[in-house]
Amino acid sequence: MSASILIAQNLSKVVPSTEGELTILHDLDFELAQGDSLAIVGSSGSGKSTLLGLLAGLDQPSGGDVVLAGHALSGLNEDARARVRAEHVGFVFQSFQLLDSLTAMENVMLPMELEGHRDARMRAETLLTRVNLGHRLTHYPRQLSGGEQQRVAIARAFAADPKILFADEPTGNLDTTTGARISDLLFDLNREHGTTLVLVTHDERLAHRCNRLIRLESGRLITPEA
Amino acid sequence: MTRLPLTRLVKLASRQLRRELRAGELRVLFFALLIAVASSCAIGYFTARLNEAMTVRATEFLGGDLALRGTSPAHQTQIDTGLAIGLKHARTIEFSSVIAGEQAIQLSSIKAVDGAYPLRGQLKSATEPQGIETVGGLPAPGEAWVEARLLPALDLKVGDRIEVGRKTLQITRILTYEPDRAGDFYSLTPRILMNLTDLAATDVIQPGSRVRYRDLWSGEPESIARYRTRLLSTLDPSQRIEDAHSGNRQLGSALDRARRYLGLASLAAVLLAGVAVAMSANRFAVRRFDASALLRCLGLSRREALLLYTMQLAMLGLAASLLGAFLGWLAQFLLFYLMADLLPAVLPSGGIFPALAGMGTGLIALAGFALPPLAALGRVPPLRVLRSDLLPVPPRSWIVYGMALLALGLIMWRLSLDLKLTLALLGGGLVATLLLGTLLLLGLNGLRRLLASAPLAWRLGLGQLLRHPLAAAGQALAFGLILFAMALIVLLRSELLDRWQDQLPPDSPNYFALNILPAERDTFTARVAALSPNAKPLYPIVQGRLVTINGEPARDVVERESRGDRATRRDLSLTWTDTLPTGNVITAGTWWSTKTPDDLPGVSVEAQLAESLKVGVGDHLSFNIAGRILETRVTSLRTVDWNTFQPNFFMIFEPGSFTHVPVTYLTSFYIPPGNDRAMVALARSFPATTLLPIDSILGQLRSILDQVTIAVEFVLLFVLAAGLTVLFAGLQSTLDERVRQGALLRALGSERLLLIRTRRVEFALLGATSGVLAALGCELVTALLYRLVFDLSWQPHLGLLVLPLAGALLVTGAGLLGTRRALTVSPLRILREG
């Protein structure tokens, strides 16, 4: 097995609620090697998105730890985790999360501009052309369809050459045909860039395109890793 | 330490700013700031330039920026100091002398002036009485310019000769206006103006002659101030410094009020802009929650995200400030252009300070009102990208309000409202806001109970407000503040204009009559009554000097150069009356109701003079009247309205205090135009009486008040326009959610009419509530302002009842206009856009 890019160790999340403490995730353990793809599936409220947030360092676990690209996240404060994200992580969201005030091109340029890339514009154009949006460079998100917006988001996710890509229901807001095209694109790019992919989905077909799958129910792993 | 180099962050911030500006995202905030800076700058420039123009006009009353007055010539060192500082100098010498015509003689007030006189303002003269006035010029050596009233007295005409002492002068023109006569309108005798080079030849000034020397100075305000300071240490007891403020009481108080009004109007403009900036900055922050979460996701640290937005805001602030300052400068330019006929042709430029101050005001408002909501952006949890319900922890409210209050305080201090007033306004405003805000929240909660049985439009409209009572209360307070600022400026404007109108009603006395002999008193009164619709009572006058205060020599008690000091160095005009003159108010003691315990005659002293003399009710004063000492006891103190053109007195005695002293009478009255012949006849019938016309002074005062009035009106219009713009901009910033809800309702099948009704109910209620808050706030603040700043009496303003209606109409109009998109654009499109 190649070196692990992502390790979850006894990962748990407890939140306060009106009826006392609520455990959302119970002692999860798994590892993911560089270049793997992992699908996290489960019904609504099973803890999928919470797990994604913890794995990507967007939130802190109540117990256990996440090791992302060699960094143990629980020992890091939010700003240090941000640095890890900037260096290693890309995101694709269900609701696209494009900035309304930026054009498609500028949205893709953003992560590269944060890194100070000089060729951000050229590279953004290449990526957008790769996702078949070469003719929509100067369009604002509100002028694009859902599928197009998600393609911009995918282009942005790959812009900073992340080691690992987290995708939260990437096809959740799209119709079946568009969803299928988007998932094709996602897997193609993943392969081209050699990126590790972690995706949360309801879509069993999408999930089964990943080479590994974990199923959550009430915050517990119920399917041993395939 | 930040991970991103600062230069990259700056680049990123400017790039993002350009993109967001292009996308129209920052329009509201940009325009709010633009209005803030432009209005503050325009009013700043307008006030500064007008202030300087008014001061220049006011200095005409002196004939210069500063006058050194004395009974002996100024010392050469005093003159040299002024010249060394680079000031311009002119000298006038005044004295009384009997003038011999060919047929008669007349005691006249002669003024010899040098070639530089006057330094401010100009003489006006005509070739014959009632002739056409020309401006400028001076009597050449050998010439005399005389007041028209001298001619009938001596039976002379222009071209005749008069003798002043040993020198014969030819009357070449009729003197119609002397700029520096205004400060001295109690002058008794007709004026003759002559050239200073002729003075020596007259041989009338001898040691012991009563002569008044005035050395006039003009120059840059800083130089004048410097000279003034230097002069103070070199003054003789007989010398006195006069400037634009000390020269004329009537004008001084009018100008002071106008200045304070303009200052307050600037504050209102800033308040308006502050509200706009606060509302739009809040919108700026809320709309960037997602973007901020995303940037954090992409690896920006909390500090970097915060820095990025702060830099964006600072760049935006700077750009808007620069443009705003330029627009403000243009706007005041336009104002002055419109007012060109009413103002002096050459106005002072105003300098760069108003522009800098305006920009500073905008940036302080931005920092105070925008940084707190902006700080929230740094705290947006990155997890928000997955869970959009996650909101940043709001900043502590004391920080938010503290920042805003600090910003307002700084701006008020910048507008030179004094500390007491600043604290009173801030404190009063805070208490009023807390009180009204609490009432509002309680009211909204009360409304919730009534809502269940209301029609659908009401439930939907009010539901919108009730769902977020804090936000609704915030909006009502913000709109309330806007209406409040506008209403306050309208109210003060009417009060000031009324006050000035009262000060100078059309029938203000335009003649003073002095030296009316007791034997002629009744006939004189009857003759004046026939001519004048407004004649003041006749007051007996006795000249007397204050010699002791509680047994101590008066001059030992008072401080040097104080008002009291001056009052002890000259004869005072003393009078007695059994009725308190109009415009006088007793502030301590009583008006002749009780006998003093030691049976001394009572005296009522003008309150400010009493303070300077350090006397109170019960103190002993003794006066030297025609060589006899009169012991008196102070029985009351009075304030005097010096703004009225009627005889006013520092000392009024109990009737019967004086016996066996020579008395003359003094009065003032209004003579309508066209009675010149009757006045000549009156003067001839009472040769001992001096009739002193003060039309030119009234005219000068009126023209300045007219100028100030126009300024006040323009500033009012400016504040109202800014208020309306801000109201609309502010409302705009709250409309996103309303437009979305409207679209949702339409998607659910609601008719447009229901939507319109819903909006009407919501906006009308919001506007009316704001109106009520504004009216209450206005009453609270005016009660403070009238007392502390404007010295006006306060009474409830029923007119403010119109504010709830005005608020409802304005907010509804602006709101419907702003949300029309929810009615006209496809609901699907709006909902898709989120």
Side-chain angles (χ1 to χ4, degrees):
Chain A
M1 190 174 167
S2 60
S4 295
I5 180 93
L6 182 68
I7 305 168
Q9 298 167 330
N10 293 325
L11 203 57
S12 64
K13 181 73 180 174
V14 181
V15 292
S17 76
T18 44
E19 287 117 29
E21 291 197 327
L22 182 69
T23 304
I24 299 180
L25 295 174
H26 296 267
D27 302 324
L28 306 185
D29 276 295
F30 57 86
E31 289 188 19
L32 202 60
Q34 175 70 45
D36 269 0
S37 56
L38 168 71
I40 304 169
V41 294
S43 54
S44 292
S46 59
K48 304 186 297 289
S49 292
T50 306
L51 177 58
L52 187 81
L54 293 178
L55 294 177
L58 296 175
D59 197 6
Q60 280 198 293
S62 311
D65 201 356
V66 172
V67 181
L68 177 62
H71 301 275
L73 297 186
S74 58
L76 304 179
N77 63 19
E78 171 32 46
D79 285 344
R81 293 202 305 274
R83 244 164 277 159
V84 174
R85 285 198 297 270
E87 278 173 39
H88 305 293
V89 177
F91 286 98
V92 175
F93 305 102
Q94 180 177 3
S95 51
F96 323 136
Q97 299 287 0
L98 299 178
L99 297 190
D100 292 338
S101 55
L102 304 188
T103 60
M105 171 88 114
E106 290 159 356
N107 265 294
V108 179
M109 284 163 69
L110 187 61
M112 294 184 277
E113 286 176 336
L114 289 176
E115 289 297 313
H117 287 221
R118 290 185 179 279
D119 57 348
R121 183 169 292 275
M122 216 165 67
R123 194 166 148 68
E125 196 174 335
T126 312
L127 276 166
L128 280 168
T129 311
R130 171 68 188 82
V131 298
N132 293 324
L133 285 175
H135 58 300
R136 299 283 222 168
L137 300 180
T138 56
H139 285 62
Y140 285 99
R142 63 174 179 274
Q143 298 166 319
L144 301 173
S145 72
E148 287 170 329
Q149 288 189 48
Q150 194 59 302
R151 278 190 274 160
V152 176
I154 289 172
R156 181 182 65 189
F158 283 98
D161 260 333
K163 284 203 176 82
I164 183 163
L165 185 72
F166 290 95
D168 179 32
E169 303 274 13
T171 58
N173 274 359
L174 304 171
D175 62 75
T176 321
T177 319
T178 315
R181 279 193 200 136
I182 289 292
S183 52
D184 285 348
L185 184 64
L186 195 58
F187 279 95
D188 288 350
L189 279 169
N190 196 41
R191 204 165 38 247
E192 286 166 25
H193 289 255
T195 316
T196 309
L197 176 68
V198 177
L199 74 85
V200 160
T201 184
H202 276 109
D203 183 346
E204 291 287 337
R205 271 179 38 199
L206 178 62
H208 282 99
R209 293 181 69 170
C210 295
N211 56 9
R212 295 179 61 187
L213 182 145
I214 54 176
R215 194 176 296 279
L216 283 181
E217 202 173 290
S218 302
R220 294 175 201 276
L221 281 180
I222 57 162
T223 308
E225 288 188 50
Chain B
M1 220 188 99
T2 54
R3 187 179 58 90
L4 284 186
L6 195 64
T7 46
R8 194 184 305 160
L9 214 53
V10 172
K11 252 193 228 162
L12 194 67
S14 68
R15 214 177 285 150
Q16 291 284 88
L17 185 69
R18 272 203 311 276
R19 289 167 182 166
E20 296 202 352
L21 274 174
R22 192 192 54 213
E25 261 298 296
L26 298 171
R27 222 172 275 158
V28 177
L29 184 56
F30 186 81
F31 281 112
L33 260 178
L34 201 66
I35 293 168
V37 177
S39 57
S40 172
C41 259
I43 292 180
Y45 262 114
F46 191 68
T47 313
R49 295 186 67 196
L50 199 76
N51 210 349
E52 286 179 41
M54 290 192 298
T55 308
V56 168
R57 288 295 299 269
T59 56
E60 286 183 15
F61 280 74
L62 286 181
D65 297 330
L66 180 144
L68 174 62
R69 182 177 155 172
T71 52
S72 55
H75 307 301
Q76 196 52 45
T77 50
Q78 292 174 323
I79 303 290
D80 292 344
T81 308
L83 293 175
I85 288 176
L87 300 177
K88 283 191 192 157
H89 174 245
R91 173 170 284 176
T92 70
I93 300 174
E94 285 174 57
F95 53 93
S96 295
S97 181
V98 173
I99 299 302
E102 284 169 15
Q103 309 288 329
I105 56 167
Q106 165 73 45
L107 183 67
S108 302
S109 163
I110 298 166
K111 180 164 165 180
V113 300
D114 68 6
Y117 169 86
L119 296 174
R120 298 286 182 209
Q122 286 192 302
L123 291 171
K124 290 180 191 169
S125 61
T127 50
E128 55 182 3
Q130 320 300 331
I132 298 165
E133 274 187 333
T134 52
V135 176
L138 273 180
E143 289 183 6
W145 291 10
V146 305
E147 263 187 281
R149 62 187 167 123
L150 182 78
L151 299 184
L154 290 175
D155 204 13
L156 290 170
K157 57 185 186 305
V158 175
D160 286 348
R161 290 171 184 280
I162 50 170
E163 283 170 20
V164 179
R166 296 178 190 282
K167 176 79 180 172
T168 305
L169 299 173
Q170 185 179 22
I171 300 173
T172 53
R173 295 186 76 83
I174 301 296
L175 179 66
T176 53
Y177 175 77
E178 200 184 332
D180 50 340
R181 189 73 188 265
D184 183 30
F185 58 75
Y186 287 98
S187 314
L188 306 178
T189 46
R191 170 73 90 209
I192 295 172
L193 197 70
M194 61 181 283
N195 197 293
L196 193 62
T197 53
D198 290 331
L199 186 64
T202 62
D203 214 15
V204 287
I205 298 185
Q206 302 294 337
S209 303
R210 288 191 63 166
V211 180
R212 198 166 73 160
Y213 294 84
R214 290 176 82 231
D215 285 278
L216 305 175
W217 297 95
S218 70
E220 293 298 316
E222 305 81 53
S223 311
I224 290 286
R226 195 141 45 97
Y227 183 51
R228 188 193 166 95
T229 316
R230 293 211 194 155
L231 265 188
L232 278 174
S233 57
T234 68
L235 287 184
D236 275 354
S238 69
Q239 288 182 315
R240 224 179 111 189
I241 296 174
E242 291 175 335
D243 59 21
H245 301 284
S246 62
N248 184 292
R249 282 203 188 90
Q250 284 89 353
L251 190 63
S253 62
L255 287 188
D256 275 352
R257 281 206 201 98
R259 279 194 196 103
R260 286 178 191 154
Y261 178 82
L262 292 176
L264 213 66
S266 316
L267 184 63
V270 170
L271 192 64
L272 289 173
V275 173
V277 170
M279 291 181 92
S280 44
N282 199 43
R283 182 185 191 236
F284 174 87
V286 170
R287 283 173 75 98
R288 268 151 202 77
F289 282 169
D290 285 338
S292 182
L294 184 78
L295 285 173
R296 298 285 299 283
C297 236
L298 293 178
L300 277 201
S301 71
R302 179 193 302 244
R303 193 181 151 197
E304 285 161 349
L306 195 58
L307 208 58
L308 182 76
Y309 286 115
T310 311
M311 280 195 287
Q312 270 193 39
L313 214 58
M315 289 171 188
L316 183 80
L318 213 59
S321 294
L322 280 171
L323 189 60
F326 179 66
L327 289 180
W329 180 79
L330 276 186
Q332 59 85 30
F333 207 62
L334 190 70
L335 283 188
F336 280 113
Y337 176 75
L338 292 174
M339 293 169 62
D341 292 346
L342 300 147
L343 291 169
V346 181
L347 275 170
S349 72
I352 186 92
F353 181 75
L356 291 180
M359 287 173 64
T361 302
L363 291 174
I364 290 176
L366 183 67
F369 290 101
L371 282 184
L374 190 76
L377 280 178
R379 288 191 299 270
V380 175
L383 199 59
R384 188 180 155 89
V385 289
L386 298 178
R387 290 179 48 197
S388 59
D389 57 324
L390 282 181
L391 285 172
V393 189
R396 286 172 199 279
S397 43
W398 66 264
I399 296 179
V400 177
Y401 299 122
M403 286 281 287
L405 276 178
L406 187 71
L408 266 182
L410 276 174
I411 292 166
M412 286 163 86
W413 170 73
R414 205 274 287 167
L415 293 172
S416 0
L417 298 175
D418 62 52
L419 189 66
K420 193 170 76 170
L421 177 68
T422 303
L423 291 178
L425 278 179
L426 281 181
L430 192 66
V431 171
T433 309
L434 286 178
L435 214 68
L436 296 175
T438 312
L439 276 178
L440 197 63
L441 273 179
L442 289 176
L444 280 173
N445 280 329
L447 216 57
R448 199 192 295 271
R449 295 207 189 96
L450 295 174
L451 203 60
S453 53
L456 183 61
W458 280 80
R459 266 183 288 146
L460 287 171
L462 290 181
Q464 185 82 348
L465 295 177
L466 293 179
R467 211 155 48 88
H468 306 292
L470 258 179
Q475 283 171 22
L477 278 176
F479 295 136
L481 267 178
I482 295 172
L483 292 173
F484 156 78
M486 290 158 77
L488 183 66
I489 296 304
V490 172
L491 270 190
L492 284 176
R493 169 238 172 222
S494 344
E495 300 276 1
L496 285 189
L497 296 195
D498 287 354
R499 180 79 173 201
W500 288 332
Q501 197 57 41
D502 286 350
Q503 185 179 332
L504 281 179
D507 64 348
S508 283
N510 53 359
Y511 275 91
F512 272 75
L514 310 108
N515 287 336
I516 304 163
L517 300 177
E520 295 175 343
R521 177 185 157 178
D522 294 339
T523 44
F524 184 85
T525 310
R527 287 279 294 275
V528 167
L531 289 170
S532 170
N534 179 19
K536 301 292 175 195
L538 264 69
Y539 291 92
I541 299 288
V542 165
Q543 298 295 320
R545 191 172 287 220
L546 175 63
V547 282
T548 66
I549 299 171
N550 293 328
E552 298 270 322
R555 289 169 71 165
D556 295 350
V557 175
V558 294
E559 277 165 31
R560 205 180 149 202
E561 269 303 297
S562 65
R563 183 190 287 249
D565 183 37
R566 290 194 289 273
T568 57
R569 289 172 190 278
R570 62 183 174 96
D571 279 353
L572 297 171
S573 292
L574 312 176
T575 191
W576 63 89
T577 174
D578 52 5
T579 48
L580 186 66
T582 51
N584 286 227
V585 178
I586 298 288
T587 54
T590 51
W591 183 255
W592 317 149
S593 60
T594 48
K595 226 36 205 140
T596 57
D598 40 13
D599 234 21
L600 289 175
V603 61
S604 173
V605 187
E606 193 266 338
Q608 284 184 321
L609 179 64
E611 194 184 330
S612 182
L613 292 172
K614 300 170 189 163
V615 300
V617 172
D619 284 338
H620 279 261
L621 302 180
S622 70
F623 293 85
N624 182 338
I625 298 163
R628 290 166 56 185
I629 300 296
L630 176 71
E631 290 286 339
T632 62
R633 182 183 285 279
V634 178
T635 53
S636 67
L637 303 182
R638 284 168 295 126
T639 56
V640 173
D641 182 2
W642 296 100
N643 294 325
T644 57
F645 282 82
Q646 66 171 23
N648 280 317
F649 299 93
F650 286 119
M651 304 281 176
I652 300 180
F653 289 79
E654 199 172 355
S657 303
F658 305 104
T659 46
H660 312 299
V661 286
V663 170
T664 60
Y665 288 85
L666 165 71
T667 186
S668 65
F669 48 88
Y670 170 68
I671 299 293
N675 282 306
D676 297 344
R677 281 177 184 283
M679 288 310 290
V680 172
L682 187 73
R684 283 182 192 278
S685 307
F686 300 93
T689 298
T690 302
L691 292 175
L692 181 69
I694 53 165
D695 287 303
S696 60
I697 299 154
L698 285 175
Q700 201 173 358
L701 201 54
R702 277 210 176 95
S703 91
I704 291 181
L705 288 189
D706 284 349
Q707 205 168 303
V708 176
T709 304
I710 288 165
V712 165
E713 298 282 18
F714 270 107
V715 166
L716 171 78
L717 281 182
F718 207 89
V719 168
L720 288 185
L724 288 178
T725 321
V726 163
L727 185 77
F728 193 76
L731 198 60
Q732 201 70 31
S733 69
T734 68
L735 294 183
D736 294 344
E737 177 65 11
R738 290 184 169 113
V739 169
R740 214 186 70 80
Q741 287 226 340
L744 188 65
L745 280 173
R746 272 181 69 202
L748 291 176
S750 125
E751 288 175 17
R752 288 158 60 104
L753 192 63
L754 175 71
L755 225 61
I756 294 176
R757 274 199 199 130
T758 307
R759 292 283 164 266
R760 264 192 217 148
V761 167
E762 185 191 349
F763 289 127
L765 190 78
L766 191 62
T769 313
S770 313
V772 172
L773 295 181
L776 290 174
C778 226
E779 286 298 50
L780 275 173
V781 170
T782 48
L784 275 176
L785 279 179
Y786 283 20
R787 276 173 59 104
L788 291 178
V789 182
F790 289 103
D791 192 22
L792 296 168
S793 63
W794 182 87
Q795 52 199 27
H797 302 94
L798 291 178
L800 286 176
L801 291 176
V802 82
L803 272 184
L805 182 67
L809 287 175
L810 280 175
V811 174
T812 308
L816 287 180
L817 206 63
T819 49
R820 70 188 184 287
R821 196 162 166 267
L823 300 174
T824 52
V825 177
S826 145
L828 197 62
R829 203 171 129 200
I830 295 173
L831 291 175
R832 264 192 185 155
E833 286 170 11

